[in-house]
Amino acid sequence: MSLRTSCAVGLGRLTSWGLRRVLHRNASQLPGRVALGIDPHALYELAGKVGHGSIVVCGTNGKTTTNNVLASAVEASGARVLCNRAGANMAPGVTAAMLPGRSADWAVMEADELSTVHILPALRPRYLVLLNLFRDQLDRAGEIDHVQDMIVQALASSPETTLLACGDDPLSMGVAYRAAAAGTKVLTFGIGEDLGLPADRVPEARFCQVCGAELSYEYRSYAQLGAFRCPNGDFERPALDFVATGVSADRTGVAFTAGGLGFGDKAGVRLTAGFGGVYMVYNLLAAYAAASLAGVDGPTFQHVLDGYHPENGRLQHFDVDGREVVLNLAKNPTGFNQNIALLLADDRPKAAYLVINDDFNDGKDISWIWDVDFERLAAPDDRLRVIAGGHRANDLQVRLKYAGIDADIATDVADALRQVGDLDTARPLYVLTNYSALWPAKAELERMGERHD
């Protein structure tokens, strides 16, 4: 390690110590910024401390949960793991997670899609897990084809990396198709059966990634994910290496059998988790597939699921004065639609507090709210009460009006709880927020009530 890199790493570690021990603050990014500011190649050097290699998880939705479950599973197998569990997924966050002095067997890192061009050349991971691609943060990311270009470029810079991609997602397979042509090894995962779910009103991808013809589907799981094919025969869902069958998914949790040739001679393993949604089947299948490639067996992975509780505002449950409050992130049309599906799977009378901000990390362009299926929340009676909030509460209120929903506005979670205070406490409140609103809502709920796992 050069003198410059040694100084960068040393000052990064000192910054981390000061933030954690003296200021009692989060050290998920600043130490990495300090290290990279001194030596922009510090992450390249830090990658050498990992014995078996790295696994990088990227995709629009589900990165944090998938990454943390995967890291916990690899750790439970007896390996030493470095991980950016707080979700700081750009180069400074990954660098900060790599700074601790101890060596490790594996690094399991969540990566922002656009940041893969900086992270993959440095880490040279053994596997890149690509969960899905949806429109998100349009101001920064632009259209999806730009995001695809960045991931393909990142893979080209790390030719020894195997891509583990969602075979049900045409956009992820568009990346896989191009990467494979350049020599990247590709493995795929997906759901191997029709779940009989209604299609979203505005799918993210309708056209073939090769010839542009409109895709046809045998079935869809959600958004554009499903058994797709091009009518011209140019492009279709591949034979899946890792497959989920016997799928059960509702608001109480998910269960499925994970099998397929990617697991070698292993028989299918039945996996269950106490946090729900069809999207979670994909996340957990991807995590188990990657964990299996890292040497984790099915019983160990299930043991991790048994003790895993979503963090960082992802499907966290709170009790506030006897009322159940469910907090979750919803930052784009697909994320909101999956949250709506979970909410509607709860057949109790309920309330929903929907919060939209437009800070830098959210994106100033919130036109995407017109592609969310809010119409599904329109109820003919008082079984569902909807409240709008956030910097763009008025815009959201107008969108809900066009969906046939008369929504009031609340300034924060406490105000929303006051507005539903006249309703019976058996009625849960779902708090769905985008990025910058998530942490304030989580902090507010932690002050007001008890967390229930």
Side-chain angles (χ1 to χ4, degrees):
M1 188 178 290
S2 69
L3 178 61
R4 182 177 183 181
T5 303
S6 296
C7 290
V9 171
L11 286 174
R13 289 172 180 168
L14 181 62
T15 303
S16 180
W17 180 87
L19 286 170
R20 296 178 189 276
R21 299 295 181 87
V22 180
L23 299 179
H24 304 290
R25 294 182 62 183
N26 184 291
S28 62
Q29 289 202 64
L30 184 58
R33 292 187 186 280
V34 170
L36 292 174
I38 298 169
D39 181 3
H41 292 93
L43 186 55
Y44 289 77
E45 294 287 345
L46 290 168
K49 68 193 289 184
V50 180
H52 296 325
S54 303
I55 304 173
V56 174
V57 179
C58 80
T60 309
N61 292 347
K63 293 187 290 290
T64 301
T65 298
T66 303
N67 192 65
N68 290 354
V69 168
L70 171 58
S72 296
V74 176
E75 212 164 39
S77 72
R80 294 164 298 173
V81 176
L82 294 172
C83 180
N84 55 344
R85 291 181 181 273
N89 57 23
M90 297 185 184
V94 173
T95 303
M98 294 289 289
L99 281 173
R102 66 185 185 278
S103 61
D105 299 308
W106 289 93
V108 179
M109 297 290 168
E110 170 187 342
D112 169 78
E113 299 85 85
L114 296 183
S115 295
T116 55
V117 292
H118 306 296
I119 294 167
L120 261 65
L123 290 184
R124 298 286 180 118
R126 288 180 63 177
Y127 304 102
L128 173 66
V129 182
L130 178 55
L131 295 172
N132 48 58
L133 290 173
F134 307 115
R135 283 172 298 154
D136 189 51
Q137 294 180 296
L138 298 178
D139 308 70
R140 182 175 74 91
E143 291 300 329
I144 292 176
D145 56 357
H146 173 60
V147 178
Q148 291 176 303
D149 290 344
M150 293 297 99
I151 299 174
V152 170
Q153 181 182 333
L155 285 165
S157 71
S158 183
E160 61 270 41
T161 298
T162 295
L163 174 63
L164 175 59
C166 180
D168 287 3
D169 178 16
L171 295 173
S172 294
M173 290 313 300
V175 170
Y177 185 91
R178 293 165 58 189
T184 296
K185 181 180 178 181
V186 175
L187 298 172
T188 59
F189 65 90
I191 293 177
E193 61 192 20
D194 186 356
L195 303 182
L197 299 172
D200 291 345
R201 181 173 56 90
V202 182
E204 294 287 344
R206 293 177 54 196
F207 303 106
C208 173
Q209 294 281 293
V210 177
C211 71
E214 185 167 2
L215 296 172
S216 62
Y217 280 81
E218 180 183 345
Y219 58 82
R220 293 191 193 199
S221 300
Y222 76 95
Q224 76 270 14
L225 276 64
F228 64 87
R229 66 178 182 84
C230 169
N232 296 327
D234 295 319
F235 185 64
E236 63 182 351
R237 182 177 75 165
L240 300 170
D241 298 293
F242 303 93
V243 188
T245 56
V247 174
S248 170
D250 57 31
R251 70 179 181 85
T252 64
V254 300
F256 61 93
T257 298
L261 295 177
F263 293 111
D265 296 330
K266 300 175 187 175
V269 175
R270 191 69 180 170
L271 299 174
T272 61
F275 35 102
V278 173
Y279 66 93
M280 194 60 69
V281 175
Y282 283 100
N283 293 346
L284 296 183
L285 177 62
Y288 179 49
S292 177
L293 292 169
V296 180
D297 60 29
T300 299
F301 191 84
Q302 180 59 60
H303 179 70
V304 167
L305 291 183
D306 291 340
Y308 183 82
H309 303 294
E311 300 286 350
N312 302 325
R314 274 69 167 181
L315 280 177
Q316 286 187 256
H317 290 244
F318 299 85
D319 184 298
V320 180
D321 297 328
R323 188 186 303 280
E324 179 186 3
V325 180
V326 183
L327 174 65
N328 205 12
L329 178 69
K331 61 191 179 73
N332 50 43
T334 299
F336 249 105
N337 286 338
Q338 286 300 292
N339 273 284
I340 288 170
L342 270 179
L343 187 154
L344 294 177
D346 185 347
D347 57 6
R348 297 172 293 176
K350 50 198 165 287
Y353 178 42
L354 314 179
V355 187
I356 298 293
N357 281 352
D358 61 353
D359 289 346
F360 173 77
N361 54 343
D362 305 305
K364 293 292 183 182
D365 182 354
I366 66 159
S367 60
W368 56 266
I369 65 175
W370 291 89
D371 292 336
V372 179
D373 291 343
F374 288 120
E375 284 76 7
R376 297 175 64 192
L377 295 178
D381 52 33
D382 65 348
R383 290 182 60 81
L384 174 61
R385 181 170 178 179
V386 180
I387 301 168
H391 303 160
R392 303 298 289 269
N394 295 114
D395 301 80
L396 182 57
Q397 190 181 40
V398 170
R399 169 66 184 97
L400 292 168
K401 179 179 179 180
Y402 276 86
I405 300 168
D406 186 12
D408 293 319
I409 290 179
T411 56
D412 53 21
V413 178
D415 189 19
L417 284 166
R418 281 192 292 271
Q419 292 192 35
V420 299
D422 57 326
L423 306 174
D424 60 281
T425 56
R427 182 181 297 227
L429 173 67
Y430 285 80
V431 179
L432 308 180
T433 82
N434 62 349
Y435 267 131
S436 66
L438 184 68
W439 292 105
K442 180 175 181 287
E444 194 179 358
L445 284 166
E446 288 173 341
R447 288 194 303 269
M448 291 190 298
E450 293 183 21
R451 172 178 167 176
H452 281 193
D453 293 326

